[in-house]
Amino acid sequence: FNRILWMPAYGSRPAPEVSIRVMDHLQWCNSKTFFKSERSQFFPGAKARAPMPVMVHTNYHPDKHKRMLCVIDRYLNGKVNACDHFPGGSEPGT
C-alpha cells in the first residue's frame, strides 16, 4: 500500500487521491518512544534535546494514566522533571 502512494499517476493509472504526510517521530510519538526507545532524547527533562512533541500517545505502558498525567505536567504545567522518575519499560529498573 505505501509503495503505491509514492507512485505518480501516468497513462491510464490514476493518482491514488490520498495525502501523504511524513512526520518527525519525536514530535508525534507514543509512550514507548517517549519513555523507552528514545529516552535519551527526552530525559532528564531539564536537559532534553528532543523538540516539544505535538502529541504523546500513552498506550504502550500499563500505567497509562499516570504517565499521561506526567506528560501533561511536563509540557502544559512546566514541571520539566515530572516524568523523570518513570522507568523506561513497564517495570522498575528497565
Side-chain angles (χ1 to χ4, degrees):
F1 175 76
N2 290 336
R3 190 175 69 211
I4 293 171
L5 293 178
W6 292 98
M7 295 176 68
Y10 61 92
S12 63
R13 184 187 172 286
E17 298 183 19
V18 295
S19 297
I20 297 173
R21 295 182 182 155
V22 179
M23 298 180 271
D24 183 349
H25 73 285
L26 296 178
Q27 290 183 316
W28 300 85
C29 60
N30 61 25
S31 56
K32 184 176 184 179
T33 301
F34 187 81
F35 287 103
K36 189 172 182 172
S37 63
E38 296 290 340
R39 187 174 183 86
S40 64
Q41 299 286 321
F42 293 102
F43 295 94
K47 297 180 181 179
R49 296 187 312 267
M52 180 177 171
V54 175
M55 181 203 68
V56 178
H57 182 210
T58 54
N59 199 29
Y60 176 75
H61 297 88
D63 53 349
K64 299 171 194 168
H65 189 252
K66 290 179 184 175
R67 290 180 188 248
M68 182 176 57
L69 292 176
C70 90
V71 170
I72 291 169
D73 273 349
R74 179 173 175 170
Y75 291 110
L76 295 181
N77 299 332
K79 299 176 185 174
V80 293
N81 296 324
C83 300
D84 290 0
H85 68 280
F86 282 100
S90 299
E91 300 296 323
T94 59

